[in-house]
Amino acid sequence: MDKKKILYVSQEMAPYLPKTDLSTLCRYLPQGIQEKKKEIRAFMPRYGVINERRHQLHEVIRLSGMNLIIDDTDHSLVIKVASISEARMQVYFIDNEDFFQRKGIVTDENGKYYPDNDERAIFFARGVLETVKKLRWSPDLVHCHGWITSLVPLYLKNGFKEDPLFSKSKVVYSIYDDAFPGSFPTNFVKKLKVDGVSEKDLDVVRENPTFENVSKLAINMSDAVIKGDAAINPEVEAYARTCGKPFLDYHGTDTYIDAYSDFYDSIMAPGAAAADKSPKKKS
């Protein structure tokens, strides 16, 4: 039997960024799942705070060179890669001078959230899927970690739905205690649109693209949901628990790899229900 293929899309990952609960989980979960005889790929943004020389990042020329259009502006897609030798694991980085060269992750030196975080999330999500297409690697399951990955389920299930590489891919979205304040710009929905994404798909973020509603969009487009932190936004947690999707409760460091592996197997099992993409009412 062929190995199941798991694609990890992460907002943060150690050792490239400081250790947090999120970055640490995203470092050791792929390794743990790989050790359970599954094939993995891992992606994260190439933030400007990452030291390329120390971590030996290098550009993958054959994967770079595409332009992605967001709000009528072209942005070049650059792909870099590095290896975590002790884990026998490669990590791919989505890079772009406009979005990921600044010396911050999602906030500036004063702790203020970048005003273009919405476009950064759009670029990252589309960049990951375009790169996986170039790799000709068909994931059985895509696991997204952190709100900057929240648009991957939308694009995979709609914008890329005709691509045979993704036609059978299941999506799991993990919710963390990483809320951004306020809301994305009012033209967020316009920026999101690509072929295959319908107006109904975007109803939940149309009027007020807050963290809560962007999370609900990710949940709507996913096949299953995981509570990634012990405490998360209560509105988002309530929505996830009542949306009808398989839901895995929080697991700590001693149990999460086994729990996630079993959860993946249940989602990928023959006959497992596909994502219900019907729009949900906003709270």
Side-chain angles (χ1 to χ4, degrees), residues 58-271:
H58 62 272
E59 184 176 350
V60 186
I61 302 298
R62 68 183 179 86
L63 298 177
S64 300
M66 180 181 296
N67 279 1
L68 302 181
I69 300 174
I70 301 173
D71 199 25
D72 300 324
T73 301
D74 280 1
H75 301 278
S76 61
L77 175 61
V78 177
I79 309 302
K80 297 178 180 177
V81 69
S83 297
I84 302 177
S85 57
E86 62 268 30
R88 302 193 307 278
M89 186 172 89
Q90 284 190 321
V91 179
Y92 291 89
F93 296 82
I94 300 297
D95 198 3
N96 170 266
E97 186 174 354
D98 301 323
F99 295 133
F100 296 117
Q101 293 295 316
R102 60 197 73 170
K103 296 298 183 181
I105 299 175
V106 295
T107 60
D108 63 20
E109 64 274 12
N110 298 314
K112 184 177 180 181
Y113 281 76
Y114 293 122
D116 62 349
N117 272 338
D118 61 324
E119 295 187 8
R120 298 171 85 219
I122 293 169
F123 182 87
F124 179 59
R126 290 174 55 190
V128 168
L129 297 176
E130 292 289 358
T131 305
V132 173
K133 279 180 61 177
K134 283 193 173 184
L135 288 169
R136 305 305 300 168
W137 191 77
S138 181
D140 294 289
L141 186 142
V142 181
H143 191 172
C144 301
H145 300 265
W147 65 255
I148 208 166
T149 74
S150 60
L151 303 178
V152 171
L154 170 72
Y155 288 127
L156 190 149
K157 292 292 186 176
N158 292 321
F160 288 76
K161 65 183 177 182
E162 301 301 330
D163 194 301
L165 280 177
F166 301 112
S167 62
K168 296 181 180 179
S169 300
K170 299 295 180 70
V171 184
V172 176
Y173 186 70
S174 279
I175 308 164
Y176 293 91
D177 182 23
D178 64 343
F180 57 83
S183 64
F184 286 152
T186 54
N187 63 343
F188 177 56
V189 165
K190 176 179 175 291
K191 296 176 187 178
L192 276 181
K193 286 296 295 293
V194 296
D195 290 344
V197 174
S198 73
E199 293 293 331
K200 283 187 176 181
D201 292 329
L202 303 177
D203 278 351
V204 72
V205 292
R206 187 173 309 284
E207 295 180 9
N208 197 14
T210 59
F211 170 82
E212 290 81 2
N213 288 334
V214 170
S215 299
K216 291 175 185 178
L217 174 64
I219 292 167
N220 289 352
M221 297 296 154
S222 297
D223 296 282
V225 186
I226 294 176
K227 182 178 179 181
D229 276 329
I232 60 175
N233 181 286
E235 180 181 335
V236 175
E237 179 172 0
Y239 189 84
R241 288 184 179 276
T242 59
C243 69
K245 309 287 178 70
F247 180 89
L248 181 65
D249 221 325
Y250 172 72
H251 280 263
T253 55
D254 293 337
T255 60
Y256 75 85
I257 291 176
D258 287 339
Y260 285 21
S261 180
D262 291 344
F263 193 60
Y264 294 167
D265 289 343
S266 69
I267 301 304
M268 295 185 292

